[in-house]
Amino acid sequence: MAEYRHEEEHLKWEGSFAEYVELVKERPWIAQSSHSRVFNMIKDAGVEERNGKKDYLFFKNQLFGLEDALEKLVEEYFHPAARRLDVKKRILLLMGPVSGGKSTLVTMIKRGMEAYSRTDQGAVYAIKGCPMHEDPLHLIPIALRDDFQKEYGIRIEGNLSPLNLMRLEKEFDGRIENVPVERIFFSEDKRVGIGTFSPSDPKSQDIADLTGSLDFSTIAEYGSESDPRAYRFDGELNKANRGVMEFQEMLKCDEKFLWHLLSLTQEGNFKAGRFALISADEMIVAHTNETEYRSFISNKKNEALHSRIIVMPMPYNLQVTQEERIYEKLISESDVSGVHIAPHTLRIAAIFTILTRLKEPKRKDIDLIKKMRLYDGELVEGFNDSDIQEMRTEYEDEGMNGIDPRFVINRISSTIIRKEVSSINALDVLRSLKDGLDQHASITKELKEDYLGFISIARREFDDMAKKEVQKAFVYSYEESAKTLMDNYLDNVEAYCHKSKLHDPLTGEEMTPDEKLMRSIEEQIGISENAKKAFREEILIRISTYARKGKRFDYQSHDRLKEAIQKKLFADLKDVVKITTSSNTPDEQQLKKMNDVISRLIDEHGYNTTSANELLKYVGSLLNR
């Protein structure tokens, strides 16, 4: 606490307007607009480029799978608005389905601005004692502003508020250089630079919530309703000046509240009380869902506002891996974070969720599963980045419908509470998701049938994962086995392609390439008899490419070969796994093998004792079907 108080004192600054102008000379960025401050806050957090796209690190670890939407938001709104282009005069409207990240994004911007205002780059200064935290540069008369811009390179927008205009005349005798200026720190709790407006009953909600109100107790003292000292400049638009104004569910607001936004966005001012227009510099961000937005634009009375709004779609995430991260984040923030969740559980839930959000591909050679894998960055034979881009442009509204993350987390939470154990697995969650479909208000009978189908697909995906996991654990020294098998295969492939013989390492005899061995591996990934020659030549080309670059080729250097090697090993072990896991009274040898497998599942694959035993039993039942 002592350190905190010391830091607070260190950050404070107070001086005259003349001293503030000297600060502006040294650090011109402190006079930036609200839009510029938001953009610089995001940019200063760091930017990473990958595949020609920008990842803004400001949003990292909070918003997942929305990289494209966030890049568009920064590049098409924040950046041009920061450069004072016309989009600065627009309301930013985030439109998307429930639980899609809209509120999280706005909260991040608000919390980010609070923290950024405490840094040197994000420092904000205001006229001391002003309830609207007014920009000190408004004190400079309009007649002198062109000269000021030529000398300092800073453009001044906005006029001095009625209250500060009166203070300048009465308290400081018109001498602007003596007006006190202080550093301010944005705080939603203290209503400094961050405002939030939420619609309520239109019959009882007062416009004063936005623009402030007359203080009737002071009229007798000041003698007039037009005296600015008799007015409370405490509306959300007043308090959000210099920062961010959030309109929650903006389109649910009564029309009289929305009209104030017309002049605020276009001219940078609004009307309050019996005063001239009051200048305000604030970024207005609102959010709504698609249904309300469609209803809003269909109403002709709202046409004036249409052109003042920039709509940024915020669809659901469409990547399985990122959806997993969303669940991990939500669980880590809950009281059940100590419950063991077996490996693949969240991924299987994510697969189901993503399938509900995807639209059927229009191309006949791509099904929903392939589309899901491609979107998640997996390599699918025969498809490349251009195919993914083509799919992304097939539907404008893909990702605007489907199951939301909150529903899935609710079902996971329900599983944890109901099961009352320290461990849950993918089957527990799938059962809970299935039971929960009846409780989801927006799921129609037709949708429910589709969703049950997606649960079946997710179950099949889990079956494959479970079998692979157990079979891997059964392989003693798995990597060594895979390496030995691959080396053997490559020796034979090289001899086959070069039309040469192999030498038996023990006898030294010459041998023809082992066609049976090569085909037993290639058949695992569907390489036909006609395609085997091309596949083998492709492997040799890859090896020579690696050698040329000084890189070592191993069994993980070629995805399809890796898959083939794994499947071959698993196929050879299937009978061993089947017998061992299904035995009701395992002998000593089988028991030892099972204990070894459980230990390996725990040590190497992230299971605990309960989930490892459950997995082993389940795979045993699968192999015996």
Side-chain angles (χ1 to χ4, degrees):
M1 287 304 298
E3 285 179 12
Y4 173 76
R5 283 192 293 270
H6 176 74
E7 179 66 18
E8 290 292 291
E9 287 301 316
H10 175 70
L11 289 173
K12 284 180 182 176
W13 184 92
E14 193 174 318
S16 67
F17 179 73
E19 290 171 314
Y20 172 69
V21 171
E22 291 302 315
L23 272 186
V24 172
K25 273 186 186 178
E26 295 170 22
R27 300 185 289 161
W29 63 82
I30 64 178
Q32 65 188 319
S33 67
S34 59
H35 290 80
S36 177
R37 192 170 281 107
V38 172
F39 171 69
N40 285 324
M41 170 190 72
I42 293 169
K43 181 170 65 72
D44 289 352
V47 186
E48 287 181 354
E49 291 209 27
R50 56 175 182 82
N51 303 325
K53 294 188 175 184
K54 292 180 179 177
D55 273 353
Y56 290 92
L57 303 184
F58 177 80
F59 306 106
K60 199 172 183 181
N61 300 323
Q62 290 295 321
L63 293 169
F64 305 101
L66 296 176
E67 290 81 10
D68 290 345
L70 293 171
E71 183 184 17
K72 184 178 179 183
L73 174 64
V74 175
E75 297 300 318
E76 295 186 15
Y77 183 79
F78 290 136
H79 194 179
R83 303 292 292 273
R84 298 181 189 269
L85 291 171
D86 215 43
V87 295
K88 179 179 183 286
K89 301 175 180 179
R90 306 286 182 271
I91 299 166
L92 172 62
L93 180 63
L94 305 174
M95 181 189 69
V98 294
S99 192
K102 304 184 296 296
S103 299
T104 302
L105 172 59
V106 177
T107 300
M108 286 184 72
I109 290 172
K110 292 195 293 186
R111 295 296 86 80
M113 287 289 274
E114 288 177 345
Y116 195 58
S117 70
R118 305 174 73 82
T119 66
D120 288 341
Q121 291 299 113
V124 192
Y125 296 81
I127 296 172
K128 187 177 181 182
C130 173
M132 286 184 61
H133 331 295
E134 188 164 10
D135 185 347
L137 295 182
H138 285 183
L139 289 162
I140 296 177
I142 291 173
L144 300 179
R145 290 184 179 181
D146 285 343
D147 293 337
F148 183 86
Q149 186 173 351
K150 285 174 187 173
E151 186 168 343
Y152 293 95
I154 295 170
R155 189 196 312 174
I156 303 169
E157 294 179 336
N159 299 319
L160 202 59
S161 67
L163 181 61
N164 286 322
L165 192 59
M166 176 177 277
R167 288 177 64 202
L168 178 61
E169 293 170 0
K170 293 198 173 188
E171 292 179 37
F172 304 102
D173 198 25
R175 299 183 70 84
I176 67 171
E177 62 269 30
N178 295 335
V179 175
V181 174
E182 64 179 350
R183 183 174 178 181
I184 62 170
F185 306 100
F186 289 159
S187 168
E188 186 172 20
D189 292 339
K190 295 178 181 177
R191 301 186 75 212
V192 178
I194 296 176
T196 303
F197 184 81
S198 183
S200 59
D201 182 5
K203 292 178 182 176
S204 61
Q205 194 162 31
D206 193 344
I207 198 69
D209 293 349
L210 270 186
T211 60
S213 61
L214 196 65
D215 186 351
F216 290 100
S217 66
T218 61
I219 292 177
E221 181 183 350
Y222 299 118
S224 170
E225 290 185 13
S226 60
D227 190 310
R229 292 170 297 179
Y231 196 84
R232 293 194 187 103
F233 293 90
D234 60 356
E236 293 302 322
L237 292 180
N238 307 104
K239 294 300 183 181
N241 187 33
R242 313 294 302 286
V244 177
M245 172 69 194
E246 177 192 8
F247 262 81
Q248 295 178 348
E249 303 295 342
M250 184 184 86
L251 303 185
K252 288 179 180 172
C253 286
D254 190 73
E255 290 173 6
K256 66 183 179 184
F257 294 96
L258 298 179
W259 298 137
H260 278 279
L261 303 181
L262 287 173
S263 64
L264 180 58
T265 52
Q266 195 64 34
E267 309 299 334
N269 51 44
F270 64 93
K271 191 80 173 76
R274 297 179 180 180
F275 308 117
L277 290 168
I278 297 174
S279 296
D281 170 31
E282 51 200 82
M283 186 189 86
I284 301 175
V285 57
H287 39 89
T288 188
N289 60 49
E290 192 173 6
T291 305
E292 283 176 352
Y293 177 69
R294 300 293 172 211
S295 172
F296 173 76
I297 60 173
S298 65
N299 187 343
K300 295 293 182 185
K301 288 197 297 182
N302 297 324
E303 283 183 351
L305 265 174
H306 293 177
S307 61
R308 307 293 204 283
I309 292 173
I310 283 189
V311 180
M312 283 289 168
M314 293 289 290
Y316 282 133
N317 156 59
L318 296 176
Q319 298 171 49
V320 173
T321 306
Q322 297 297 331
E323 191 72 12
E324 255 189 291
R325 295 183 68 193
I326 294 173
Y327 302 156
E328 286 168 0
K329 175 196 161 194
L330 293 172
I331 288 169
S332 70
E333 294 169 352
S334 72
D335 289 339
V336 296
S337 55
V339 174
H340 174 76
I341 298 175
H344 311 304
T345 300
L346 299 183
R347 184 168 188 82
I348 294 302
I351 286 172
F352 161 72
T353 310
I354 298 300
L355 288 172
T356 68
R357 298 172 185 170
L358 294 177
K359 291 184 178 288
E360 281 289 344
K362 292 180 180 178
R363 284 175 51 172
K364 300 296 182 187
D365 58 339
I366 302 177
D367 59 22
L368 215 53
I369 299 293
K370 282 182 183 174
K371 184 176 186 177
M372 178 188 75
R373 296 191 195 287
L374 286 166
Y375 274 15
D376 202 36
E378 290 185 39
L379 293 173
V380 177
E381 186 186 358
F383 300 100
N384 53 37
D385 289 343
S386 62
D387 296 309
I388 299 172
Q389 287 304 113
E390 183 186 328
M391 280 190 288
R392 290 191 188 281
T393 57
E394 285 182 343
Y395 301 97
E396 284 186 8
D397 61 341
E398 187 168 54
M400 299 300 275
N401 299 292
I403 291 290
D404 61 285
R406 286 186 195 137
F407 171 77
V408 178
I409 286 298
N410 290 345
R411 300 317 303 167
I412 291 172
S413 303
S414 172
T415 305
I416 291 168
I417 301 302
R418 190 172 64 245
K419 202 176 177 191
E420 292 184 344
V421 291
S422 59
S423 174
I424 64 166
N425 59 40
L427 294 176
D428 296 327
V429 172
L430 286 177
R431 276 192 290 268
S432 185
L433 286 170
K434 185 177 179 182
D435 294 341
L437 293 180
D438 292 327
Q439 301 169 24
H440 201 295
S442 63
I443 296 179
T444 63
K445 187 178 178 182
E446 292 75 18
L447 267 181
K448 184 181 175 183
E449 288 180 10
D450 290 340
Y451 289 179
L452 288 173
F454 296 147
I455 286 176
S456 297
I457 292 172
R459 169 77 178 266
R460 288 198 294 274
E461 290 290 307
F462 175 65
D463 290 352
D464 288 343
M465 289 179 191
K467 281 189 278 191
K468 284 182 181 179
E469 200 94 294
V470 170
Q471 288 168 330
K472 267 188 195 178
F474 260 89
V475 177
Y476 179 74
S477 187
Y478 174 73
E479 294 294 324
E480 280 302 311
S481 303
K483 183 180 180 302
T484 303
L485 184 58
M486 187 203 72
D487 288 344
N488 199 357
Y489 173 75
L490 293 180
D491 288 343
N492 281 278
V493 163
E494 191 174 357
Y496 169 85
C497 291
H498 294 155
K499 295 185 171 60
S500 60
K501 300 279 188 180
L502 287 164
H503 291 276
D504 189 306
L506 293 176
T507 64
E509 291 179 32
E510 286 192 339
M511 303 181 299
T512 56
D514 190 341
E515 185 66 22
K516 187 177 178 183
L517 170 73
M518 290 186 287
R519 291 302 295 142
S520 71
I521 292 170
E522 292 157 357
E523 284 169 354
Q524 300 295 329
I525 51 171
I527 302 293
S528 67
E529 184 72 26
N530 293 332
K532 69 180 184 183
K533 187 172 185 291
F535 179 74
R536 293 169 187 177
E537 288 172 348
E538 179 193 326
I539 297 292
L540 280 191
I541 291 169
R542 180 72 64 89
I543 292 171
S544 64
T545 302
Y546 267 59
R548 223 172 29 248
K549 294 178 179 177
K551 291 161 69 176
R552 182 173 171 273
F553 184 92
D554 60 29
Y555 97 100
Q556 303 207 43
S557 301
H558 190 285
D559 288 324
R560 298 194 69 214
L561 178 58
K562 174 185 172 182
E563 184 186 352
I565 296 287
Q566 287 180 343
K567 285 187 173 180
K568 170 63 177 164
L569 282 172
F570 296 158
D572 293 345
L573 274 170
K574 186 174 179 180
D575 289 338
V576 177
V577 176
K578 186 175 174 180
I579 292 165
T580 309
T581 56
S582 62
S583 176
N584 290 326
T585 54
D587 59 32
E588 190 177 333
Q589 189 69 23
Q590 290 172 337
L591 203 58
K592 183 180 182 304
K593 193 177 284 287
M594 285 178 72
N595 287 334
D596 286 346
V597 170
I598 289 170
S599 296
R600 203 164 288 124
L601 287 171
I602 293 169
D603 297 340
E604 297 175 19
H605 299 283
Y607 291 83
N608 69 0
T609 306
T610 304
S611 58
N613 274 291
E614 286 175 347
L615 181 75
L616 213 52
K617 287 176 186 174
Y618 180 64
V619 170
S621 69
L622 285 178
L623 295 175
N624 277 299
R625 286 178 188 172

